[in-house]
Amino acid sequence: MFAYWRQGFTVLVLVLAGSVWAPASRAGTEAAPIDTATIEKNRKANEACFACHSAAGIKNPPKADLDLANKLKDSRLEPALFNPADHGVMDCRQCHAGNHYDPYPHAEVGKNETAPCTECHAAKVMRLEPQFNASVHAKNEGLKEKFTCNTCHNAHENIVALRLKDPHKIVAQDNHGCLECHNSDLTFAKFAPDGEKTPGVKRKRPDIDTIHDWLPNTKLHWNAVRCVECHTPEVAAKKMLSHEILDKEKAEKKCVTCHSANSTLKVRLYRHMAKDEQQRLGFTNSVILSNSYVIGATRHPVLDGIVIGLVILTLAGMLAHGAIRIVAALRRKGNKEQAK
Ligand code: HEC
Ligand code: HEC
Ligand code: HEC
Ligand code: HEC
Ligand code: HEC
Ligand code: HEC
Ligand code: HEC
């Protein structure tokens, strides 16, 4: 409850500030980069938390009788995952209620006071929120309250695509966010609304591979493209990915959207790769080639010319061959008739 109040208050303050300081306040509403000395300091401070909140801590607790193996069995916290992540430069306490968690056992009061994204990313949240609110997950009553930014964004592990760069890593991270629910009956049921036919009984999870069986090599596609490639509207290359997950009727089904020289993947999955990288070796979309060979999208003008030339020659050859055979057959027929 307090978190909502705080979120509302932050937005209010920012809106008021924005109306007075309009152009200057923009930069101030976004988390600024953190300098190296502060990063060092934060990482040192986090060691106190990792003393318990890590595999090493669970194995070797700072005090006896903590039963960490049981109490922290579902936790994935790990310095090796946290430190390189987007928020790995921060002190845990910046999001987790100041010094509230320093003593252990942690007090009940103050738990669940995790700072909302708006507190540090107000400008981005303001831009994304209309899209987020229009998406299938937010439009669905019952799902709305439970579906928040950190349903998809793991605050401890995620690395923004712009920094990940490698398309395979981006695909793995972003699809994991969707499949965590869409590939698990257990998690899906926690979020699913009641079915139309039998109220009280949760709607069944549609099997992801079955729904997409029209897509050849379905499993291969899951490793090469993101769900959001087909389930969100396209945006200009410089804008943030749209957070509007469209109704299933509006999802992309046309193969040429990706498998063509003008592939949509250029402004989606491959948008963070430099232009020259995209055109390396004279191939159109060579970046796709260096990661995988996307039929139709990975092209080379000279090779294309040679292939088209070969096709024309083959066709011409076939036509000539056919014509000669027809003429020959007619001649033979004519000869036979003459012989009668
Ligand atoms: C002595 C071991 C220990 C240390 C040190 C420790 N924690 Fe914890 N923490 C736990 C255990 C065990 C839990 C599981 C729930 C519980 O027992 O409160 C937990 C739970 C949490 C939770 C989840 C609370 C909830 O709502 O369920 C957060 C957040 C947290 N710790 C943050 C921190 C931060 C931040 C630090 C460092 C400032 C820290 N902890 C240091 C042992 C520790
Ligand atoms: C950018 C903000 C942010 C930072 C920094 C952060 N966390 Fe969290 N943490 C979250 C959010 C968001 C959740 C999910 C809370 C929820 O679902 O209600 C969470 C959940 C947790 C939980 C409970 C779930 C779990 O994974 O076990 C623990 C424990 C925890 N954080 C510990 C830490 C520790 C230790 C650090 C520092 C190494 C840290 N957090 C840094 C935002 C943050
Ligand atoms: C207490 C402040 C704080 C909170 C709360 C917070 N962040 Fe961040 N976030 C930061 C900082 C600081 C950075 C790193 C900025 C840098 O290094 O340039 C960052 C970086 C990021 C990045 C990568 C860079 C970018 O802006 O695109 C993403 C994505 C992000 N945060 C998403 C979230 C989401 C989603 C939430 C809510 C679950 C959240 N953050 C909550 C402070 C915060
Ligand atoms: C349905 C899953 C989902 C939800 C919910 C979600 N996001 Fe995202 N978000 C993504 C995906 C996928 C990306 C693309 C990965 C990337 O660019 O790093 C992304 C990217 C981002 C980025 C980086 C964009 C850029 O180009 O710099 C920010 C910032 C962000 N989300 C913030 C938020 C905030 C704030 C919320 C809550 C209002 C939110 N997200 C809710 C899935 C989600
Ligand atoms: C926390 C769980 C969860 C996550 C994460 C999640 N979804 Fe969903 N999604 C659901 C549930 C539950 C439904 C069912 C809603 C319904 O049946 O009305 C749904 C429905 C959908 C639908 C069907 C919409 C329609 O028109 O019926 C699509 C498409 C979809 N999700 C795509 C995605 C994509 C893409 C991602 C990742 C960016 C994602 N989801 C992440 C839980 C989730
Ligand atoms: C190549 C494009 C494409 C990709 C990639 C893709 N989808 Fe879809 N998806 C579609 C289309 C098109 C439909 C509508 C299918 C139909 O109606 O026959 C759909 C339907 C769905 C539905 C609706 C199921 C239902 O009937 O209620 C969900 C949920 C869904 N997709 C989730 C996902 C998830 C999760 C991923 C990532 C693992 C993903 N999709 C990747 C194109 C795609
Ligand atoms: C969202 C973009 C996207 C859409 C839409 C899409 N594909 Fe793909 N497809 C890819 C990518 C990327 C690969 C590259 C996989 C690799 O080799 O790593 C691929 C690979 C393939 C392959 C396998 C090539 C191989 O190396 O074995 C076939 C076949 C294929 N797609 C056919 C189709 C067909 C048919 C459709 C339409 C029903 C379709 N694709 C729609 C992006 C897409």
Side-chain angles (χ1 to χ4, degrees):
M1 205 57 234
F2 180 74
Y4 284 119
W5 178 85
R6 187 157 62 173
Q7 190 167 348
F9 182 73
T10 315
V11 169
L12 185 70
V13 166
L14 286 162
V15 167
L16 289 176
S19 56
V20 181
W21 301 97
S25 70
R26 260 281 142 90
T29 59
E30 268 304 311
I34 301 179
D35 63 89
T36 28
T38 315
I39 295 173
E40 283 295 305
K41 204 183 92 215
N42 290 344
R43 295 220 166 125
K44 197 101 202 103
N46 290 349
E47 282 172 16
C49 310
F50 284 130
C52 289
H53 290 283
S54 63
I58 292 169
K59 216 166 142 199
N60 210 348
K63 279 184 273 179
D65 303 334
L66 282 175
D67 190 22
L68 295 186
N70 194 28
K71 284 184 184 145
L72 298 177
K73 65 177 186 309
D74 295 327
S75 183
R76 263 169 65 93
L77 266 162
E78 204 51 57
L81 291 173
F82 180 81
N83 289 345
D86 290 329
H87 294 135
V89 291
M90 296 169 67
D91 186 333
C92 314
R93 297 157 188 86
Q94 285 177 265
C95 291
H96 289 294
N99 295 330
H100 172 84
Y101 284 103
D102 279 337
Y104 187 84
H106 304 316
E108 279 305 316
V109 187
K111 270 191 184 177
N112 302 323
E113 262 182 43
T114 320
C117 316
T118 12
E119 197 161 298
C120 309
H121 300 291
K124 281 189 175 125
V125 172
M126 260 188 222
R127 246 176 291 150
L128 290 176
E129 225 157 31
Q131 300 165 352
F132 178 75
N133 289 340
S135 84
V136 290
H137 300 109
K139 274 194 301 191
N140 201 311
E141 288 302 327
L143 199 64
K144 209 154 114 189
E145 287 77 34
K146 290 179 269 180
F147 214 90
T148 61
C149 307
N150 47 316
T151 308
C152 296
H153 288 276
N154 185 325
H156 303 144
E157 293 178 20
N158 267 31
I159 303 179
V160 73
L162 182 66
R163 275 207 301 131
L164 269 181
K165 291 220 160 55
D166 178 352
H168 283 122
K169 285 188 188 152
I170 298 172
V171 170
Q173 172 175 282
D174 290 354
N175 284 1
H176 176 76
C178 310
L179 290 173
E180 223 172 7
C181 253
H182 282 286
N183 252 358
S184 156
D185 288 328
L186 205 74
T187 320
F188 191 82
K190 277 191 214 153
F191 290 85
D194 289 348
E196 290 101 19
K197 288 191 194 118
T198 38
V201 176
K202 293 286 178 198
R203 199 174 296 167
K204 246 182 92 113
R205 179 183 67 89
D207 181 68
I208 289 300
D209 289 356
T210 315
I211 306 164
H212 301 90
D213 61 1
W214 45 271
L215 196 62
N217 296 349
T218 322
K219 285 263 184 328
L220 185 138
H221 276 97
W222 294 166
N223 291 327
V225 286
R226 297 178 298 179
C227 316
V228 290
E229 249 72 79
C230 298
H231 285 285
T232 62
E234 193 176 302
V235 293
K238 291 220 169 61
K239 292 237 178 85
M240 289 193 290
L241 174 101
S242 170
H243 273 58
E244 181 182 353
I245 309 287
L246 300 161
D247 291 342
K248 63 184 171 214
E249 289 79 24
K250 290 194 199 140
E252 190 56 67
K253 209 168 186 173
K254 291 193 290 295
C255 317
V256 289
T257 312
C258 295
H259 293 282
S260 64
N262 198 22
S263 182
T264 176
L265 292 177
K266 276 199 260 187
V267 290
R268 288 177 175 275
L269 184 56
Y270 301 116
R271 68 198 307 187
H272 300 302
M273 312 199 82
K275 263 258 145 41
D276 52 336
E277 173 106 17
Q278 287 199 8
Q279 303 288 344
R280 199 157 30 107
L281 307 170
F283 281 90
T284 313
N285 302 340
S286 63
V287 56
I288 308 180
L289 181 77
S290 64
N291 290 283
S292 52
Y293 191 89
V294 185
I295 302 166
T298 317
R299 292 255 172 102
H300 193 289
V302 179
L303 285 184
D304 277 359
I306 294 172
V307 170
I308 292 168
L310 280 175
V311 169
I312 291 171
L313 278 177
T314 311
L315 276 177
M318 277 160 69
L319 280 176
H321 181 80
I324 291 167
R325 285 193 62 168
I326 290 166
V327 170
L330 284 176
R331 276 235 182 119
R332 267 197 305 270
K333 206 173 163 196
N335 287 346
K336 268 189 209 156
E337 259 160 25
Q338 262 180 4
K340 266 193 216 159

